[in-house]
């Protein structure tokens, strides 16, 4: 382990207490979400990891699978300011960031510009069907996602923490959509894919949603708590072998890399960026704390490989002709890169 990083001290009462609060907070948030959300355990875990890391994520799934409901319910449970932006072909960047308007002082008659904040000035922003608006408007979110600030007419406005963007995509409707550029996709921590529920859970959903609902959420985790948890996550120690394993996964996915196996050279046009390895490690840190551990394991990295890699790997026409999915590529990648021998 390197010694120049600020890490959690298991003997330090403050860090241990905060780590325990984070684990309890995760359990409480999950308990509240369960009042409305049925099943989707992996999906909820990935959403909570995004929350504790401070990352932005895409949620992909066909209509009716509770993509919007999960994000909106999370905002209610945390009592955070929530904005939903419906992305449409005529949406303008100023509809997201806000704009300056002219106001007249009734006493002096003087006119001056006043900034009216857009819906991005929230704690949790739901970019609904983000691929239905042109790239110019999509890019209006880039600065907010990366820098947590927006610039309008040369003036910069800082967004209040915590700040997250969850973007939804419908994978089955292609007409009238604008696929996100790779540079913007790379800024999302996870691509969270929602699939249909098992039959028994689907029956439970229909029964619950067609009856009278009077739900009241207990708010036990606050915005400042989330910010404190995000700082704690970055102090979780990571063995050099685990970091190397995350980096090896990312490097092996690139067809131009000397370590790229034959299936990568055959099926992959572009591999994962450095951000993939960064998010594997950060997500692993959050997953470890959520499990009550103070170190990141190889299993943490492997468990997050699919949501981290599948929107960063661009397959080529060979993969398309052979009906090779990105999920399959990531599965092969996990098999091809050996887990280092370790005492962990």
């Amino acid at each position: 382990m390197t010694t120049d990083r600020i890490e959690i001290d298991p003997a330090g009462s403050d860090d241990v207490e905060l780590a325990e609060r984070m684990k309890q907070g995760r359990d409480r948030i999950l308990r509240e979400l369960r009042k409305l959300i049925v099943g989707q355990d992996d999906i909820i875990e990935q959403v909570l990891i995004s929350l504790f890391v401070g990352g932005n994520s895409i949620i992909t799934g066909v209509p009716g699978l509770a993509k919007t409901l999960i994000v909106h319910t999370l905002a209610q449970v945390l009592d955070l300011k929530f904005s939903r932006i419906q992305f449409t072909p005529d949406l303008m960047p100023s509809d997201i960031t806000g704009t300056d308007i002219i106001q007249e002082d009734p006493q002096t008659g003087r006119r001056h510009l006043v900034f009216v904040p857009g819906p991005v000035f929230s704690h949790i922003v739901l970019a609904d069907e983000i691929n239905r608006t042109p790239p110019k408007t999509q890019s209006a979110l880039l600065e907010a996602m990366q820098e947590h600030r927006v610039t309008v007419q040369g003036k910069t406005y800082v967004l209040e923490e915590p700040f997250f963007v969850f973007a939804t995509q419908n994978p089955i409707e292609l007409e009238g959509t604008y696929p996100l550029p790779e540079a913007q996709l790379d800024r999302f921590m996870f691509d969270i894919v929602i699939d249909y529920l098992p039959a028994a859970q689907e029956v439970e959903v229909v029964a619950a949603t067609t009856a009278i609902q009077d739900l009241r959420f207990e708010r036990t985790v606050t915005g400042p708590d989330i910010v404190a948890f995000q700082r704690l996550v970055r102090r979780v120690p990571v063995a050099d072998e685990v970091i190397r394993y995350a980096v090896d996964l990312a490097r092996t996915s690139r067809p131009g890399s000397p370590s790229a196996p034959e299936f990568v050279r055959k099926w992959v046009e572009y591999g994962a960026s450095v951000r993939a390895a960064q998010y594997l490690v950060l997500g692993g840190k959050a997953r470890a704390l959520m499990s009550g551990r103070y170190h990141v394991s190889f299993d943490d990295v492997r468990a997050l490989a699919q949501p981290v890699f599948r929107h960063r790997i661009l397959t080529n026409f060979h993969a398309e002709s052979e009906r090779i999915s990105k999920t399959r590529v990531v599965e092969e990648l996990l098999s091809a890169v050996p887990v280092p021998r370790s005492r962990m």
Side-chain angles (χ1 to χ4, degrees):
M1 304 276 280
T2 58
T3 58
D4 56 346
R5 304 179 186 128
I6 301 175
E7 297 176 344
I8 289 178
D9 179 6
S13 59
D14 291 343
D15 277 349
V16 171
E17 180 182 354
L18 186 57
E20 182 59 28
R21 280 175 51 203
M22 177 176 163
K23 185 177 184 301
Q24 292 176 356
R26 176 258 185 193
D27 295 339
R28 290 167 180 166
I29 293 171
L30 185 59
R31 182 188 65 213
E32 296 302 307
L33 289 175
R34 286 287 175 230
K35 293 180 180 179
L36 189 59
I37 307 297
V38 176
Q40 307 290 13
D41 293 345
D42 291 342
I43 306 307
I44 291 175
E45 180 186 64
Q46 291 166 28
V47 168
L48 292 181
I49 289 174
S50 297
L51 183 78
F52 293 137
V53 168
N56 311 290
S57 290
I58 300 174
I59 304 178
T60 305
V62 298
L65 297 184
K67 300 187 296 295
T68 300
L69 182 64
I70 289 174
V71 178
H72 190 199
T73 304
L74 179 66
Q76 288 182 294
V77 169
L78 297 175
D79 198 21
L80 295 177
K81 186 178 179 183
F82 172 80
S83 289
R84 175 180 177 272
I85 307 173
Q86 182 62 54
F87 278 69
T88 57
D90 60 347
L91 192 73
M92 300 296 292
S94 59
D95 295 328
I96 297 173
T97 61
T99 188
D100 290 321
I101 64 171
I102 298 176
Q103 283 193 353
E104 183 176 301
D105 190 320
Q107 296 180 346
T108 63
R110 292 183 177 178
R111 295 182 177 183
H112 57 282
L113 290 175
V114 175
F115 177 67
V116 178
V120 76
F121 285 84
S122 297
H123 295 116
I124 295 181
V125 176
L126 177 63
D128 211 359
E129 296 186 295
I130 191 172
N131 57 336
R132 288 200 169 278
T133 201
K136 180 179 180 181
T137 304
Q138 292 173 2
S139 64
L141 277 178
L142 285 178
E143 184 183 17
M145 288 169 52
Q146 190 72 16
E147 306 293 339
H148 290 199
R149 66 187 183 188
V150 297
T151 302
V152 178
Q153 299 292 336
K155 189 171 182 180
T156 299
Y157 302 88
V158 178
L159 300 171
E160 185 179 355
E161 299 291 345
F163 175 77
F164 311 91
V165 172
F166 288 95
T168 69
Q169 287 192 124
N170 181 351
I172 63 174
E173 295 181 14
L174 299 178
E175 187 174 350
T177 61
Y178 303 83
L180 273 68
E182 284 71 22
Q184 185 167 344
L185 279 172
D186 194 42
R187 285 170 167 80
F188 287 97
M189 179 177 181
F190 289 154
D191 178 14
I192 303 172
V193 175
I194 298 184
D195 205 348
Y196 291 105
L197 291 169
Q201 291 182 347
E202 194 164 339
V203 169
E204 187 178 347
V205 169
V206 173
T209 55
T210 54
I212 296 175
Q213 292 181 309
D214 184 18
L215 298 176
R216 297 182 183 180
F217 297 112
E218 181 182 350
R219 298 177 175 94
T220 57
V221 179
T222 66
D225 287 335
I226 297 298
V227 174
F229 296 158
Q230 291 171 359
R231 291 172 179 164
L232 179 70
V233 163
R234 290 183 173 267
R235 297 204 298 274
V236 174
V238 186
D240 290 338
E241 293 87 350
V242 175
I243 294 177
R244 169 59 63 183
Y245 180 60
V247 171
D248 285 346
L249 284 171
R251 292 179 64 85
T252 304
S253 74
R254 303 165 192 163
S257 172
S259 61
E262 179 60 30
F263 74 89
V264 169
R265 299 178 190 275
K266 181 179 179 182
W267 294 334
V268 177
E269 186 74 22
Y270 295 104
S273 69
V274 177
R275 280 197 184 98
Q278 291 171 332
Y279 280 133
L280 282 175
V281 172
L282 278 172
K285 290 183 175 190
R287 190 173 186 269
L289 284 180
M290 287 165 59
S291 302
R293 291 180 282 108
Y294 300 127
H295 68 276
V296 182
S297 69
F298 296 116
D299 287 341
D300 290 322
V301 172
R302 292 176 63 84
L304 300 178
Q306 286 289 354
V308 167
F309 277 96
R310 60 183 156 219
H311 61 299
R312 291 184 165 88
I313 291 177
L314 181 63
T315 52
N316 57 26
F317 70 93
H318 290 295
E320 185 177 353
S321 65
E322 296 178 30
R323 297 185 178 180
I324 301 298
S325 67
K326 294 180 181 180
T327 299
R328 166 76 182 280
V329 173
V330 179
E331 289 173 352
E332 296 285 347
L333 193 64
L334 289 171
S335 297
V337 181
V339 177
R341 292 184 178 181
S342 172
R343 292 173 295 178
M344 296 179 60

